[in-house]
Amino acid sequence: MVWHIFKKDWKLAWGFVVAVASLHWIAAFVKFRLGVSGENEALTMLSQVLPGLSIFGSMFLTSAIVHLDAIPGVKQDWLARPIPRGSLLREKVLFVMATVCGPILVANLFLGVANGFGFRSAFFQATIFAAYLFFFAILPIFALAAVTRNMTEAFVMGCGCAFLIGASLTMYEFANGSSHGTIGGVVWSGVGWIGEAVRLGLAAIATALIAGVQYFRRKTILARAVLVGFGLLMLVSPIFPWNAVFAVQRRLSAAGNSGAHVQVAFEPKLGRYKSSSAVALAEDRRRGGSENDADVFLPLQVAGVGDDAMLIADRAEVQLARSEGGPEYHGTGETFELRREGTGTPASPVYQKIVVPGSVYRDWKDRTAQMQIKYSLTRFVLKNSYAMPALGGNERMPGWGWCETEVNEAGTALELHCLQQGKGPICGTVFLENTVTGERNPPRSMCRSDYAPYLDRPLPDSLERFGTMLPFRDPTGLAKFPVDGAQLAHARVVIRVYEPEQHFTQSLTIPLIKLRDWDAE
Amino acid sequence: MIRITDLHKKFGRFEALRGLNFEVPVGSAFALIGANGAGKTTTIKVLMNILEPSRGNVEVLGVDSRKLAPRELAQIGYVSENQEMPSRLTVAEYIAYLRPFYATWDRELEQTISKQLRLPLDRRIGDLSHGMRMKMALLCALPYRPKLLVLDEPFSGLDPLVRDEFMEELLNQAGEMTVLLSSHELGEIDGVATHVAFLDEGRLLFQESMGELMGRFREVHVTLEQAAMAPREAPKEWLQMRAMGNVLTFVDTQFDERSVGERVRSRIAGVKEMVWQPMALRNVFTTLARAARDGQA
């Protein structure tokens, strides 16, 4: 019966299916034609519009498929027919998977294979991407369509849901800002994928419940209540407590005890932070928040990171308490990154930046206080190292991706454009090296705090595009690079790939501190 | 075939059905009549398990309507004036889609009916006229020889020619089928229905066989010796009483030829002459509808 209903739905919806599938395929083709560097303006514009359009098309198509045999209502002919409800539900899920997820999978498979990645890995990544979209967008739309009569109703309800999600995220941002980043903080962070996974799980459970209630009992009011209930539950997920979520990430992290050797200590001897220019400091403040905010920089000495390793502070939770007791300040400091490239490199100092609200700063600047910083840290270790010619470089690196190099139009920097399947690398340093003299330009870090085990974004496709600029000439003439333009013919681009080894927490207590002592100079 | 017990259906605060009780005997052609909004369609949708009752029970083919499964639905034909079918399929495609769901589908019968109804099989359902769509709904309800055929306002909006074609086909195929038919057009069930139930504002006013109903309704004309006036205390079974000159006219809803003279003379003085005539079903219906509206029924 499932196949029989499937054929009927195909007769009714094939035009829509082909149209949406074509959008996905055209989007994939445009992305393929763009290549690694993506310099064609018309194609770039198309590549920005088409993926979103095709995902919206898939969402509308999902709704249309469910509405071919709408559940709420009393006029549908199928309600009086001996059509097994279980068969109908199975058919709808199968039809959505075949006609909505199928073309997405095919488009991404094409994109992977056409870009020179192996069939198996391209298929694997395309499947993961299609599965992610299925849970992220298709299932919730399926649930929404199951409790609505037609596209108009679903669209209105969908807009309502989108508004609620937007409003709740705005409220969350506002609350998080008001509490100096201490509420949750999981969203948009490296461990945000855990909250996202919980949301996807809830969406799957909610859809299963709603589909069961609707297809087998046709209780639309109850199904809508389930939808609203789970929706509210999902809206709560951004305020998951950081410590609990990071603890989950710690449990999931690779084996190793390297974090135990890392020691973060307050080192007053390093002196105050010296800003490169007052203009830059003012600019920092404008970017960082209110002009009334005050920046405090604490000198830290970090030991035990190890050679060819990197330490990223995913979060620094700051607590300031008066030594005589009384009210406390609770906020967050900025994240930082510490690199130890090569062996025996001396540890460079790190300044922990803390943006303190102006009123708090005025109140605390001259008081002696106790400060405690609770760090959530991740230690990265070097996994691979690659090199490619600086000029005309075109290299495929298994742990990094497919990269090309070209000199920018101004002739001041080398542009590195890369493409990788799936999530791509999350941490690496890139620098120019003269192959003859061995001289190197300062490395560029391409690290981000993102520990999701899969590509957790719905747009644009299953490929990750990334890159960086490697400057070799300062147009103002102030800076001099060890590897300059004249040496490019003998230079190579070195890419060092780091992977997270362990997540851990560490606490730093400074018994007596005055904020005024640690302003930038 | 169908047993309805204390059936209530509420939509929010509005009570569409208020304690219906009736039975549809096997082999009958049962007409559910009532004005628009009386609750006929709601009753049918409840018994088809399209709506759930708020209270009470409906048994269809011996099964609680809430538990109607494909096995029972395969024995029920359903035709409704507002049935939504996939408009982008052709008639032939939709029939082909339905066939496998019915183990007893008779393709020869399907072809016979389709020829007799002169349906354009290659036309999309969305392009069919209302009359054609109703004929198509009938075509989709008969070839599997259902035990029960439920027709919800099947003649609504049909021109006389289509109505006759529809009816002819229905009568041809009825056989031993039980038919439940709802209508507010009495002329349409005249000569078809064997039983009738009258609904008004969600209540059942009566249920009886057509023969009994037509037998107990008479329009009575009483000529008096003096100017006619309605009696102060007329029995409640006398409806639509009106006087014109010295003639008093009313509808007797409990007519009995043997006792009518005595009943009239005991309440009205100076009776000179009395005649009565059978009523058309349409007139019976309008009499009852008016009485219900005026709170007399």
Side-chain angles (χ1 to χ4, degrees):
Chain A
M1 282 304 161
V2 171
W3 177 234
H4 186 63
I5 305 169
F6 192 101
K7 283 192 288 184
K8 183 264 295 179
D9 280 357
W10 176 253
K11 277 179 192 156
L12 288 168
W14 71 267
F16 200 172
V17 171
V18 170
V20 174
S22 302
L23 269 178
H24 283 289
W25 296 334
I26 292 169
F29 187 70
V30 166
K31 284 277 184 188
F32 163 64
R33 289 301 303 268
L34 264 177
V36 181
S37 49
E39 284 173 342
N40 184 311
E41 277 184 23
L43 289 181
T44 303
M45 197 185 72
L46 271 177
S47 75
Q48 286 163 351
V49 174
L50 283 174
L53 207 61
S54 52
I55 295 294
F56 268 109
S58 293
M59 288 157 79
F60 277 103
L61 176 60
T62 304
S63 179
I65 290 165
V66 176
H67 288 141
L68 288 176
D69 297 285
I71 304 162
V74 293
K75 294 180 180 176
Q76 304 91 305
D77 184 60
W78 76 269
L79 295 174
R81 302 286 171 192
I83 298 173
R85 304 287 168 93
S87 299
L88 188 63
L89 174 58
R90 281 196 296 279
E91 185 273 336
K92 291 294 171 208
V93 174
L94 192 70
F95 198 86
V96 164
M97 289 177 81
T99 62
V100 179
C101 301
I104 296 172
L105 191 146
V106 171
N108 283 279
L109 176 63
F110 160 78
L111 204 51
V113 172
N115 278 306
F117 297 102
F119 181 86
R120 280 182 69 177
S121 66
F123 183 77
F124 179 69
Q125 293 299 340
T127 307
I128 288 180
F129 184 72
Y132 176 76
L133 269 182
F134 182 70
F135 285 99
F136 178 82
I138 308 301
L139 272 187
I141 294 294
F142 190 102
L144 191 68
V147 299
T148 49
R149 275 181 239 266
N150 49 45
M151 190 74 83
T152 313
E153 248 187 53
F155 184 74
V156 170
M157 276 182 81
C159 288
C161 292
F163 174 77
L164 276 179
I165 292 167
S168 76
L169 282 176
T170 308
M171 279 166 61
Y172 160 75
E173 291 288 345
F174 178 74
N176 199 34
S178 306
S179 65
H180 318 298
T182 52
I183 292 183
V186 174
V187 181
W188 318 128
S189 77
V191 293
W193 73 273
I194 294 174
E196 172 79 358
V198 171
R199 277 194 294 282
L200 297 186
L202 284 174
I205 294 168
T207 307
L209 278 174
I210 289 166
V213 167
Q214 280 296 76
Y215 279 88
F216 295 104
R217 299 179 64 192
R218 286 189 70 238
K219 301 249 182 203
T220 302
I221 293 173
L222 176 64
R224 285 181 178 173
V226 172
L227 185 75
V228 171
F230 270 84
L232 291 175
L233 206 60
M234 281 186 253
L235 291 182
V236 173
S237 60
I239 57 169
F240 281 163
W242 172 272
N243 291 337
V245 176
F246 195 74
V248 173
Q249 184 67 56
R250 278 170 64 190
R251 281 188 171 272
L252 295 173
S253 68
N257 197 25
S258 55
H261 306 295
V262 175
Q263 287 297 321
V264 182
F266 177 57
E267 187 48 77
K269 285 180 193 162
L270 291 169
R272 284 186 178 196
Y273 175 71
K274 291 180 180 61
S275 170
S276 51
S277 85
V279 177
L281 194 65
E283 183 59 30
D284 270 2
R285 282 185 181 166
R286 258 198 300 285
R287 276 202 305 266
S290 155
E291 298 237 12
N292 290 325
D293 291 348
D295 297 340
V296 174
F297 296 86
L298 303 179
L300 303 179
Q301 193 73 54
V302 183
V305 174
D307 294 333
D308 279 328
M310 195 176 279
L311 189 72
I312 286 185
D314 298 302
R315 185 177 167 91
E317 210 166 319
V318 179
Q319 214 150 6
L320 207 55
R322 288 176 183 170
S323 41
E324 69 270 22
E328 291 186 348
Y329 167 72
H330 194 192
T332 50
E334 294 209 345
T335 57
F336 63 80
E337 177 185 313
L338 179 78
R339 279 197 307 271
R340 292 289 304 271
E341 298 246 42
T343 52
T345 321
S348 53
V350 179
Y351 283 88
Q352 170 67 66
K353 182 180 175 185
I354 302 166
V355 181
V356 184
S359 58
V360 175
Y361 180 77
R362 282 189 292 278
D363 196 24
W364 289 75
K365 63 181 178 181
D366 294 319
R367 293 171 187 270
T368 309
Q370 186 192 63
M371 182 179 276
Q372 190 180 44
I373 307 177
K374 191 172 180 190
Y375 283 107
S376 298
L377 301 161
T378 300
R379 183 174 180 269
F380 288 73
V381 290
L382 183 69
K383 283 288 173 188
N384 280 306
S385 190
Y386 303 100
M388 61 193 289
L391 292 177
N394 185 330
E395 205 76 25
R396 289 180 183 276
M397 296 158 275
W400 184 259
W402 172 29
C403 295
E404 284 180 356
T405 59
E406 63 178 343
V407 177
N408 69 352
E409 279 183 15
T412 56
L414 201 66
E415 289 178 0
L416 177 74
H417 301 285
C418 300
L419 195 64
Q420 175 63 307
Q421 287 191 107
K423 196 168 156 251
I426 61 165
C427 188
T429 56
V430 186
F431 55 85
L432 271 173
E433 185 183 62
N434 188 317
T435 51
V436 179
T437 63
E439 282 199 286
R440 292 173 175 182
N441 281 356
R444 281 284 168 121
S445 167
M446 294 174 69
C447 292
R448 60 202 155 101
S449 173
D450 176 5
Y451 310 120
Y454 51 84
L455 184 66
D456 59 344
R457 54 159 173 74
L459 288 170
D461 49 51
S462 62
L463 297 184
E464 186 74 76
R465 292 161 185 81
F466 55 101
T468 190
M469 299 278 269
L470 300 168
F472 54 77
R473 186 168 73 84
D474 178 8
T476 63
L478 293 173
K480 177 90 178 93
F481 291 89
V483 181
D484 58 17
Q487 302 173 50
L488 285 183
H490 308 290
R492 60 180 188 169
V493 175
V494 178
I495 299 167
R496 292 161 67 84
V497 187
Y498 292 83
E499 283 182 11
E501 190 193 52
Q502 201 191 8
H503 305 277
F504 56 99
T505 56
Q506 202 164 98
S507 207
L508 169 68
T509 304
I510 308 168
L512 295 170
I513 190 171
K514 269 187 194 169
L515 293 185
R516 185 192 278 278
D517 296 342
W518 301 107
D519 286 346
E521 274 183 0
Chain B
M1 185 62 71
I2 297 170
R3 179 181 293 142
I4 293 180
T5 315
D6 191 28
L7 178 62
H8 290 257
K9 179 65 193 173
K10 274 186 168 184
F11 296 102
R13 287 183 177 179
F14 173 68
E15 204 168 3
L17 301 178
R18 309 170 187 210
L20 291 193
N21 290 284
F22 68 85
E23 279 186 35
V24 177
V26 175
S28 66
F30 194 100
L32 205 54
I33 59 173
N36 289 331
K40 306 182 296 292
T41 296
T42 304
T43 307
I44 285 178
K45 296 224 183 277
V46 169
L47 72 88
M48 289 302 297
N49 193 25
I50 293 171
L51 287 173
E52 201 174 355
S54 304
R55 210 171 78 205
N57 281 304
V58 178
E59 265 185 35
V60 182
L61 301 166
V63 175
D64 186 326
S65 69
R66 282 167 283 216
K67 291 176 183 166
L68 282 182
R71 196 177 58 172
E72 288 79 34
L73 288 170
Q75 301 175 63
I76 304 173
Y78 174 68
V79 177
S80 168
E81 61 163 337
N82 52 21
Q83 214 160 339
E84 282 175 0
M85 288 178 272
S87 58
R88 276 171 287 159
L89 289 187
T90 64
V91 175
E93 283 171 339
Y94 193 52
I95 290 168
Y97 170 62
L98 292 179
R99 253 180 239 134
F101 293 112
Y102 298 93
T104 55
W105 189 284
D106 183 340
R107 290 197 68 163
E108 273 184 32
L109 179 58
E110 170 206 315
Q111 281 165 5
T112 308
I113 298 169
S114 111
K115 270 183 199 160
Q116 280 165 356
L117 291 174
R118 285 173 300 165
L119 273 167
L121 296 175
D122 55 350
R123 198 179 295 175
R124 285 184 173 198
I125 296 171
D127 296 336
L128 295 178
S129 66
H130 175 69
M132 282 288 188
R133 261 207 298 275
M134 291 306 292
K135 286 205 253 180
M136 189 200 152
L138 189 67
L139 171 62
C140 295
L142 293 175
Y144 49 95
R145 301 181 197 280
K147 285 184 182 168
L148 171 65
L149 181 63
V150 179
L151 306 163
D152 184 14
E153 300 275 8
F155 311 115
S156 173
L158 297 190
D159 64 55
L161 186 66
V162 176
R163 180 199 168 279
D164 287 350
E165 282 175 349
F166 186 99
M167 190 54 90
E168 193 184 325
E169 197 52 48
L170 180 63
L171 294 173
N172 282 346
Q173 305 302 332
E176 290 174 7
M177 205 187 287
T178 303
V179 180
L180 173 66
L181 167 76
S182 85
S183 181
H184 62 276
E185 286 290 336
L186 269 289
E188 289 164 348
I189 63 160
D190 212 354
V192 179
T194 58
H195 291 71
V196 65
F198 185 89
L199 287 188
D200 181 66
E201 293 185 349
R203 286 194 188 88
L204 181 71
L205 296 189
F206 65 82
Q207 174 206 353
E208 61 193 314
S209 74
M210 206 64 161
E212 284 172 13
L213 177 75
M214 298 311 287
R216 71 181 174 88
F217 272 79
R218 288 290 182 276
E219 193 173 67
V220 180
H221 301 268
V222 183
T223 308
L224 304 175
E225 288 164 352
Q226 67 281 359
M229 276 175 65
R232 274 187 198 164
E233 287 184 8
K236 63 179 181 186
E237 61 265 23
W238 290 358
L239 302 176
Q240 290 189 7
M241 195 161 282
R242 57 191 188 276
M244 190 177 285
N246 59 348
V247 178
L248 186 68
T249 308
F250 63 88
V251 174
D252 187 358
T253 62
Q254 297 296 334
F255 180 79
D256 182 350
E257 196 170 346
R258 289 165 298 182
S259 62
V260 65
E262 188 184 328
R263 283 165 62 223
V264 169
R265 286 194 180 86
S266 68
R267 284 179 170 81
I268 304 169
V271 175
K272 200 165 137 188
E273 190 188 5
M274 199 162 46
V275 288
W276 53 81
Q277 59 193 48
M279 292 172 69
L281 187 60
R282 168 182 283 277
N283 295 338
V284 171
F285 172 75
T286 48
T287 302
L288 284 168
R290 280 189 195 140
R293 187 190 61 197
D294 301 339
Q296 288 177 273

